[in-house]
Amino acid sequence: MNGISLEQRDQLNQYLTSQLALMPELVVEVAGNGVAALAWSRWTLANHTIGVLVGPGRTGLVALVTARRLLAWGARPSVHLAVPREVLGRLNQGEMDRFETLGGRVFEPNAPLPAVALWIDGLFGTGFHEPLADELKELIDAVNYDRQPTLAIDLPSGLDPTTGKASLPAIRAEVTAALGLPLLGVLKPFAKQLVGEIALIDLGLPASVWRR
């Protein structure tokens, strides 16, 4: 399986915006729908609670779109923020507002975690930086200890996207949803115990775009 570096990912995003006029919101919408479809096909989620971990970056935005789609299909996603909502970027705040307007529940950091059928990890993605705050360490530990399946978006939170090395603690995923192509760190053999199975999310881009 081929992988993609962070530099190549950045170049791809710039190309999509400047040459194809594909705004980030559209790409995120496609990605979130794909992650939701993967989760829906893999686990029994109708009328079940799903814990969606959301950070301030683009991975968190994909997680919010995923939550909105699963809500529309009959699941009961609850969003758990890694940072206070006022720290979220404009796009993340807008998507969170849509989710709440449709009846979704959003919990501030340090709120008690519910019993869930599935966790969806959208905490850090490629924006991970050490050291982790104590409350984020406790959140990751709690999700791992819960032993319910976890679906990581892009890469498990705490995993370096280039080297595949992990912080302690890091999310242990049963499945990692790679957006288009997996990041190089996800493909490292020693990362497999955290990455789990790699599932490719189709972003609707032709092969010629990925070969650039």
Side-chain angles (χ1 to χ4, degrees), residues 107-121:
F107 296 90
E108 295 288 340
N110 301 316
L113 298 179
V116 304
L118 173 71
W119 292 104
I120 295 178
D121 169 28

Side-chain angles (χ1 to χ4, degrees), residues 49-55 63-64 67 76-83 88 96 99 105-116 118-120 122-123 136 139 143:
T49 300
I50 304 166
V52 184
L53 309 177
V54 171
L64 286 165
R76 297 198 300 265
S78 63
V79 164
H80 300 266
L81 300 178
V83 297
L88 296 174
M96 185 177 63
F99 177 70
R105 297 185 301 166
V106 176
F107 296 90
E108 295 288 340
N110 301 316
L113 298 179
V116 304
L118 173 71
W119 292 104
I120 295 178
L123 287 176
L136 290 177
L139 175 59
V143 169

Side-chain angles (χ1 to χ4, degrees), residues 175-198:
V175 180
T176 293
L179 306 182
L181 284 176
L183 291 158
L184 295 179
V186 169
L187 295 175
K188 300 295 184 182
F190 50 80
K192 185 171 179 56
Q193 61 180 339
L194 297 178
V195 170
E197 178 187 345
I198 299 173

